[in-house]
Amino acid sequence: MIPAAFDYARPASLDEALMLLARSGGSAKVLAGGQSLLPLMRLRLASPGQLIDIGRIAELRAIRDLGGGATAIGALATYRGVLDSELATRNHPILATAIPLIGDVQVRNRGTLGGAIAHADPASDLPAILLALDATVVIRSGNGERVVGIDGFFQGAFATDLAEDEILTEIRLPATPPGAGMAYRAIEQPASGYSMVGVAAVVGRNGGSIGHARIAITGVGEVAYRAAAVEAALVGSDGGAAAIGAAAVHATDGQVVSSDFNANAEYRAVMAEVHTRRAIEAALAAVD
Ligand SMILES: Cc1cc2nc3c(=O)[nH]c(=O)nc-3n(C[C@H](O)[C@H](O)[C@H](O)COP(=O)(O)OP(=O)(O)OC[C@H]3O[C@@H](n4cnc5c(N)ncnc54)[C@H](O)[C@@H]3O)c2cc1C
C-alpha cells in the first residue's frame, strides 16, 4: 500500500509543467486531484518516476462563459466546483443532476473533470455525459495547442488521444440545441458509485418530431460510446413511448458487452436498454 519512490514537482505555470513533462521522456505522470492516480500508485499498478502536480495552476481551474449558452470548464475544475458554478449548471443542467451521483464527497471535492476523462475508466460517468453534450477538449504540449472533438478522444479502456507530453487544459461545451432537454440515468455499483451502466441523453423536438438526439452510454464495454443506432431510430420519430422503446432496443448494437463480478453481460445489456429508454424519456420530459 506504499507507492514506489518517485520525484515530485509542483510547477507554478502550465508552461513549466509542459517543460517538465517533455523533459521526463515519458517517465512522469501529471497529478491533478489524485483520486485515481494515487490509489493506482499505492497498489503499484502505476509507478511513475516523477509526479508533476498541476494542482496549483489557477489558470486551469477557471469556468468561463463562451457566450450564447456555451461554457469552457478548466481541466482542473473539480466536480464540486462545477456543481457550484451557476453558469455551468444553467447552461448544461445534466451536470447538476449527474455529478451528485459520482463518487462521494471527497471524490467530488478533489476529483477534477480533466483527471476523470484523462483516466478514461470504462465505468466513469463523465465520458458519456461529455459525448452527449458534444464537448471538445483543448490539449497543450510544448508544440502548441490542439482542439479535439470528444467523439475521437476516448480510444479504449484507460486509453485516450492524449500523448505522453500533453496536458488537457479545458473542456468546452457548446450551447444546447434549441428545445433540447438532457438527462442522465445510471445503475451504480453501490460502494463506489461507478456506473455499471450509465446513459446520457440530449434530445429535442423539431416541431412534432424528434430533431436532435445524442445518446451516449458508459459502463457497458471498454469505452463509452455514442449509441448511433438509437439516435438514428429516434430522429424523425414522434418521440412517443413506442418510438422511444423501439429506439432503446439498439442500446448495445455493435458493442462487446462486459461481464464482471458486478453484472454479467446479459444483465448489462438489459439495463442499457432500460436506462436508455429512461434517459430519453427524462430528457424529453424536461422540455415538453
Ligand atoms: C472512492 C472513489 C469513487 C469513485 N466513484 C466514481 C463514480 O461514481 N463515477 C465516476 O465517474 N468516477 C468515480 N471515481 C473516479 C473519479 O471520478 C476520478 O478518480 C477523478 O475524477 C479523477 O480526477 P483526478 O483529478 O483525481 O485525477 P488524478 O487521479 O490526479 O489523475 C488521473 C489520471 O489522469 C491524468 N491526468 C489528470 N489530469 C490531467 C490533465 N489535465 N491532463 C492530462 N492528464 C491528466 C493523470 O496523469 C492520471 O493518469 C471514483 C474514485 C474514487 C476514489
Side-chain angles (χ1 to χ4, degrees):
M1 291 297 147
I2 298 174
F6 57 89
D7 290 333
Y8 174 82
R10 200 174 70 199
S13 69
L14 178 59
D15 286 341
E16 188 187 347
L18 289 168
M19 188 265 292
L20 290 168
L21 201 53
R23 207 185 266 172
S24 83
S27 66
K29 274 279 195 191
V30 167
L31 176 69
Q35 297 301 294
S36 286
L37 182 54
L38 296 184
L40 287 180
M41 290 173 63
R42 287 198 195 99
L43 293 167
R44 305 247 174 155
L45 295 171
S47 300
Q50 184 182 33
L51 284 187
I52 299 174
D53 183 352
I54 61 172
R56 308 275 172 101
I57 304 177
E59 66 187 280
L60 295 181
R61 200 172 291 276
I63 299 178
R64 299 184 297 120
D65 189 352
L66 296 178
T71 316
I73 299 177
L76 268 190
T78 60
Y79 291 118
R80 180 76 255 162
V82 173
L83 277 177
D84 288 344
S85 165
E86 201 268 334
L87 173 74
T89 53
R90 172 169 36 84
N91 283 348
H92 320 284
I94 194 171
L95 298 173
T97 52
I99 288 178
L101 305 175
I102 294 175
D104 51 28
V105 172
Q106 174 180 317
V107 170
R108 292 192 294 274
N109 283 347
R110 298 284 309 166
T112 66
L113 269 61
I117 63 170
H119 189 57
D121 190 306
S124 177
D125 296 278
L126 202 61
I129 295 164
L130 297 187
L131 281 164
L133 289 176
D134 197 12
T136 51
V137 294
V138 184
I139 295 168
R140 279 274 302 275
S141 74
N143 298 323
E145 181 176 285
R146 61 192 182 101
V147 180
V148 178
I150 196 78
D151 282 308
F153 182 74
F154 299 108
Q155 298 186 339
F158 306 103
T160 70
D161 184 36
L162 279 170
E164 280 173 347
D165 63 344
E166 289 182 320
I167 292 180
L168 183 68
T169 58
E170 197 167 71
I171 298 164
R172 293 183 185 154
L173 304 178
T176 307
M182 51 185 74
Y184 187 64
R185 290 292 180 273
I187 178 164
E188 297 173 345
Q189 207 284 345
S192 70
Y194 276 108
S195 285
M196 289 185 266
V197 170
V199 184
V202 179
V203 186
R205 293 185 190 279
N206 184 1
S209 59
I210 301 295
H212 177 92
R214 278 183 76 99
I215 315 295
I217 302 182
T218 190
V220 161
E222 290 229 317
V223 64
Y225 61 95
R226 291 264 307 281
V230 176
E231 295 174 357
L234 206 55
V235 170
S237 77
D238 65 5
I244 294 172
V249 166
H250 299 290
T252 55
D253 280 10
Q255 298 298 314
V256 178
V257 180
S258 303
S259 248
D260 58 29
F261 54 84
N262 289 318
N264 66 22
E266 190 183 3
Y267 179 68
R268 264 202 172 82
V270 172
M271 287 299 104
E273 179 182 337
V274 167
H275 286 81
T276 297
R277 180 169 47 74
R278 289 180 183 169
I280 296 168
E281 286 169 351
L284 285 172
V287 285
D288 276 350

